[in-house]
Amino acid sequence: MLGIPTVLDRMIQQAVLQVLQPIFDPMFSDGSFGFRPGRSTHGAVVRACEHVAAGHRWLVDLDLEKFFDRVNHDVLMARVARRVKDKRVLLLIRRYLQAGIMEGGLVSPRAEGTPQGGPLSPLLSNVLLDEMDKELEHRGHRFVRYADDCNVYVQSKAAGERVMASLERFLWERLRLKINRDKSAVARPWERKFLGYTVTSNLQPKLKIAPQSVQRLRSKLRPIWRRGRGREIASTIEELNPIIRGWVAYYRMVVVKGSLQELDAWIRRKLRCVVWRQWKTPGTRYRKLRERGLNSAKAHAGAMNSRGPWWNAGSTHMNLALPNDALTKMGLVSFLAEHQRLARTS
């Protein structure tokens, strides 16, 4: 759950963050990318791909069980106190950690965890998990961590199993954190996703979009298709475009573009499906198909069939009535074209 501080508390936490960030950040590991100045998800994904390309083709994918809800306050404050000696600041941080959460008008106390939503929480999570980073560096492992999402790259499955077991003991004994065994795994990198990306199995791996990311996008767009049945298709396209641009901007580093092409085809078919539903009766469908240039025989065959909207959206008569060029003229942004545009400008 998110714990959103009040305006005054956000301001104070941000002030504390601006003082503490320069103190802690230089000591953080080079393999840590989350919530750090000058670092991003894209940098973490590139580093992960480099480790696979270097021959570390087995992955220890660690998922910490309810990390932000399970952080032990005493363990965390002990790590903060190593660099911060002002007891007033330490007391202030602890009070923010222990601040209760109001839900439905009732305040519940907090005995563990760092509230997600506060400016200070990301830095505190890095302070705690830096001990795991240092342990991995000491052992000579290649790894990438973004917040509580950590991948360790090794050269064999047996080595991965040993790393998983030893890290499970380390995290519990030193940091009082548990690994979620159901979501963690020792696997090939191309069988797992990292920050929405995955890689191919080539000797020189290529970045591509993880299937789960594509599925989440499709689920996100489902309400737009429902709303589209009762309004102009141009309004639906106008609502889609910012989502498409933002999504492609995040996945602009992909080399394998098959998912982008598939999404383009899927979006266009869904739009044709919306239009077909709007043409509710066979008579309206016949008239609309004729208006869009189909001859009488093709329009009649298309309008009078008993198939569903999805089948008709992929049929010849709807592709002729609402071709790709027509959707582009209405302003529809193409996933593939937007990716190519970003590639030229970067």
Side-chain angles (χ1 to χ4, degrees):
M1 294 179 64
L2 293 179
I4 308 299
T6 63
V7 174
L8 179 60
D9 283 334
R10 284 202 298 271
M11 184 189 72
I12 295 172
Q13 286 195 34
Q14 184 63 37
V16 174
L17 174 67
Q18 290 176 197
V19 173
L20 295 186
Q21 186 95 49
I23 296 173
F24 284 101
D25 194 76
M27 78 175 198
F28 289 153
S29 167
D30 187 51
S32 168
F33 286 83
F35 313 118
R36 296 183 60 190
R39 292 180 168 237
S40 66
T41 53
H42 289 155
V45 169
V46 170
R47 181 70 61 83
C49 193
E50 290 172 352
H51 291 330
V52 179
H56 294 72
R57 296 169 67 83
W58 282 91
L59 166 69
V60 183
D61 187 355
L62 293 175
D63 184 275
L64 299 180
E65 187 175 279
K66 297 182 179 179
F67 169 71
F68 285 96
D69 296 329
R70 296 286 175 83
V71 170
N72 184 288
H73 291 170
D74 292 333
V75 173
L76 172 57
M77 290 307 302
R79 271 71 185 167
V80 175
R82 292 173 184 175
R83 302 297 294 268
V84 177
K85 303 303 179 185
D86 192 322
K87 293 184 178 180
R88 295 169 301 174
V89 176
L90 295 174
L91 179 61
L92 180 64
I93 294 173
R94 183 176 279 275
R95 283 179 174 174
Y96 277 127
L97 289 173
Q98 294 176 339
I101 292 179
M102 179 178 287
E103 182 184 6
L106 299 176
V107 177
S108 55
R110 177 184 287 274
E112 61 180 2
T114 62
Q116 293 188 71
L120 203 52
S121 294
L123 176 64
L124 295 177
S125 67
N126 275 335
V127 170
L128 183 65
L129 292 177
D130 184 64
E131 187 152 343
M132 179 180 71
D133 298 343
K134 293 296 192 292
E135 178 68 16
L136 290 170
E137 286 182 342
H138 177 71
R139 298 181 187 183
H141 290 308
R142 295 183 178 228
F143 72 97
V144 180
R145 182 178 65 80
Y146 192 95
D148 59 330
D149 196 349
C150 182
N151 286 352
V152 184
Y153 296 86
V154 294
Q155 294 180 313
S156 69
K157 184 176 182 179
E161 297 288 356
R162 288 195 299 271
V163 169
M164 176 73 81
S166 63
L167 282 178
E168 187 170 25
R169 289 193 302 272
F170 174 85
L171 285 166
W172 176 248
E173 293 172 1
R174 297 288 291 275
L175 304 179
R176 287 294 182 262
L177 295 173
K178 289 184 179 180
I179 289 177
N180 187 332
R181 275 289 186 169
D182 293 332
K183 295 183 178 180
S184 302
V186 177
R188 295 291 196 178
W190 46 89
E191 295 172 352
R192 308 289 289 183
K193 67 179 179 67
F194 181 55
L195 302 176
Y197 284 82
T198 187
V199 296
T200 64
S201 58
N202 305 62
L203 287 178
Q204 290 300 315
K206 299 176 182 178
L207 286 172
K208 66 177 186 177
I209 302 169
Q212 299 94 320
S213 302
V214 175
Q215 190 57 47
R216 277 200 303 271
L217 176 66
R218 294 190 181 208
S219 299
K220 180 180 179 180
L221 297 181
R222 192 173 294 125
I224 296 180
W225 307 130
R226 286 197 293 266
R227 289 194 294 270
R229 298 175 191 176
R231 61 181 179 178
E232 293 290 332
I233 195 68
S235 299
T236 301
I237 290 174
E238 187 177 350
E239 188 175 359
L240 283 171
N241 284 343
I243 298 173
I244 294 173
R245 288 193 178 99
W247 203 79
V248 175
Y250 181 77
Y251 290 104
R252 64 181 180 271
M253 295 192 305
V254 296
V255 177
V256 180
K257 303 173 187 176
S259 295
L260 300 176
Q261 294 171 328
E262 291 171 7
L263 282 170
D264 273 332
W266 179 76
I267 288 280
R268 291 191 291 260
R269 187 167 179 177
K270 290 295 285 187
L271 287 170
R272 293 185 184 109
C273 188
V274 169
V275 172
W276 185 260
R277 288 178 182 277
Q278 291 176 347
W279 301 344
K280 296 181 180 180
T281 65
T284 302
R285 290 166 180 169
Y286 174 80
R287 178 168 52 83
K288 292 291 186 180
L289 291 173
R290 290 286 287 146
E291 289 174 0
R292 283 160 174 75
L294 276 71
N295 62 40
S296 180
K298 287 184 178 179
H300 184 273
M304 301 303 168
N305 78 80
S306 59
R307 303 271 191 163
W310 182 248
W311 183 91
N312 279 280
S315 66
T316 304
H317 55 267
M318 279 305 288
N319 277 271
L320 291 172
L322 201 60
N324 296 350
D325 289 345
L327 291 172
T328 301
K329 287 178 182 177
M330 291 180 190
L332 179 65
V333 173
S334 161
F335 284 89
L336 189 59
E338 183 68 10
H339 182 271
Q340 291 169 346
R341 185 187 70 79
L342 291 175
R344 288 194 301 269
T345 57
S346 61

